[in-house]
Amino acid sequence: MKTIKLGIYEKALPLNKDIEEVLHSVAEAGYSLYEIALDKDRLPRFQWSTEQKATWLQATLNSGVHFYNLVLSAHRDFPFGSKEAKIRQQALQIMEQAIDFSASMGIRAIQIAGYYTLEHEVSTDDSKKRFLEGMYQSAELASQAGVMLGIENVDRDIISLEQIKEVVEEVHSPWLKMYPDVGNLTAHHFNVKQALAENINHIVGIHLKDTKEGIFRRVPYGEGMVNFKAVFESLFKAGYKGPFSLEMWNDNSRNSLEIIKGARTWILDQMSQQVRR
C-alpha cells in the first residue's frame, strides 16, 4: 500500500489563509497530495503575485505534500458549449489562465468539469460540438505547457466514460485524457468496473466519492451506493498505478482533520482487501 498516492480535496478542510498550516494538517492525516479547488469564487488566484505563489510552493516543500491536480469546476459557470459567445470566450480564457497557473505551481493535471452548458440551458448537438471545439483549443494550450487535462464525468451532460472517450479520441492529443469520478458513475447506474477497465489507458487520476440516488455530494464513505471494493479490484486488475483523490466537502467543520483521517483509513481498508497487480 506504500506505493499508493492518496490526495485530499481542498474543500475537505476549513478555509485558512495559512497554506503551511493546511498542508501540515494534510500530512498529519496521512495524505501526500493536495487538490487545489478552482471554482468561480477562486478565480482571483490566477492573479497571484510571484510572492503568493512562492508561499504555497514553499509550503509543499516544508510539508512534503505536493499539488497534483487542479479541480477546475469554474467551467460549470462558464461552459465551453454555451450558446453565448461571451461565455465561451470566458471559458477559454479561464482555461488559458488555469494552464499557466498550473505550470507555475507544479500542478501536473487539470480536471475539466464535463458540462456542455449552463444548468438552465438546454443541451443540444450544437452544444456538444462547441464543447468539442473547446477541448481542441484546450489540448493545444496544454501541450505547449506540458500539463495534462482530464475530463471528469459529472452529474449532467457528460455522465459516462464512453462520452469522454469519444471526445478524447476525436481530439487525439496525448495531453487530453479522463479523470473519472466513481461516485458519479455509480449514481448514474453505469457498470463502474467495466467502464474503468475498458478505459484504463485514458485515466490520469481517480476521484473517490460516495453518492446516493440523486445525491452527488457530501455522502460519507460507506453510506452511499459506491462499491469501492469492486472499484479497486477493477483498477488494480487492469494495472492502474496512478493517484487517487478523496473528494469531500466538510464545510469548515471543526472536526475536518479527524474526518479526513477516518476517511483515509476507511478507503485504505477497502483497498487492502484487493490484490494490486
Side-chain angles (χ1 to χ4, degrees):
M1 304 297 288
K2 290 183 179 180
T3 60
I4 294 175
K5 297 289 187 181
L6 286 184
I8 189 70
Y9 186 40
E10 178 179 352
K11 295 182 182 180
L13 292 155
L15 293 173
N16 192 320
K17 294 182 180 180
D18 186 352
I19 188 61
E20 182 97 22
E21 180 182 338
V22 171
L23 293 188
H24 278 291
S25 295
V26 168
E28 180 186 340
Y31 295 88
S32 56
L33 302 172
Y34 185 74
E35 282 196 317
I36 296 178
L38 213 302
D39 53 29
K40 65 176 182 178
D41 297 323
R42 289 173 167 82
L43 290 177
R45 288 180 172 179
F46 291 151
Q47 310 307 321
W48 275 358
S49 66
T50 300
E51 290 74 19
Q52 287 173 298
K53 291 180 180 180
T55 298
W56 277 54
L57 289 170
Q58 188 61 52
T60 70
L61 297 175
N62 294 342
S63 65
V65 175
H66 301 291
F67 305 138
Y68 171 72
N69 185 36
L70 180 72
V71 180
L72 190 56
S73 55
H75 282 131
R76 184 186 185 105
D77 298 281
F78 303 97
F80 278 103
S82 174
K83 62 183 179 181
E84 301 292 338
K86 182 178 179 180
I87 292 178
R88 297 198 302 274
Q89 290 169 359
Q90 288 173 301
L92 184 59
Q93 180 182 35
I94 288 170
M95 181 59 75
E96 289 176 318
Q97 292 174 317
I99 290 170
D100 288 343
F101 181 82
S102 296
S104 67
M105 295 291 288
I107 297 168
R108 296 177 289 283
I110 296 174
Q111 186 184 64
I112 302 172
Y115 295 107
Y116 296 140
T117 62
L118 294 168
E119 193 167 5
H120 66 271
E121 289 184 311
V122 176
S123 181
T124 65
D125 287 341
D126 285 338
S127 306
K128 298 176 185 178
K129 291 176 182 177
R130 291 191 290 262
F131 179 86
L132 180 61
E133 178 58 31
M135 292 304 97
Y136 272 110
Q137 295 170 311
S138 298
E140 182 176 350
L141 293 169
S143 68
Q144 294 167 4
V147 175
M148 291 297 303
L149 304 178
I151 302 173
E152 179 192 28
N153 54 296
V154 287
D155 53 332
R156 58 180 174 83
D157 293 342
I158 292 184
I159 62 173
S160 73
L161 299 194
E162 188 61 32
Q163 288 172 282
I164 301 176
K165 185 178 180 180
E166 290 177 3
V167 175
V168 168
E169 292 187 343
E170 175 69 27
V171 175
H172 195 59
S173 166
W175 301 99
L176 180 66
K177 299 296 181 181
M178 60 178 67
Y179 206 118
D181 183 309
V182 299
N184 292 343
L185 285 175
T186 302
H188 284 297
H189 302 288
F190 290 108
N191 184 328
V192 181
K193 288 183 64 175
Q194 181 179 342
L196 293 173
E198 289 179 349
N199 292 284
I200 196 67
N201 292 328
H202 292 307
I203 297 174
V204 297
I206 297 286
H207 252 182
L208 300 175
K209 180 180 70 179
D210 215 343
T211 49
K212 293 182 179 180
E213 188 75 38
I215 302 176
F216 293 87
R217 294 185 176 188
R218 296 177 174 83
V219 177
Y221 292 104
E223 296 184 16
M225 303 166 58
V226 179
N227 185 342
F228 285 96
K229 293 178 183 178
V231 165
F232 297 131
E233 178 186 14
S234 178
L235 288 168
F236 294 160
K237 185 176 180 180
Y240 180 75
K241 293 180 173 61
F244 294 92
S245 291
L246 280 67
E247 188 177 25
M248 305 171 65
W249 295 262
N250 289 336
D251 302 309
N252 288 319
S253 169
R254 294 181 180 179
N255 300 322
S256 290
L257 184 58
E258 294 307 314
I259 293 172
I260 67 171
K261 283 182 179 179
R264 177 180 177 274
T265 298
W266 192 88
I267 286 293
L268 287 177
D269 180 64
Q270 303 302 298
M271 285 186 178
S272 68
Q273 298 180 44
Q274 312 306 317
V275 178
R276 192 158 197 179
R277 302 180 181 181

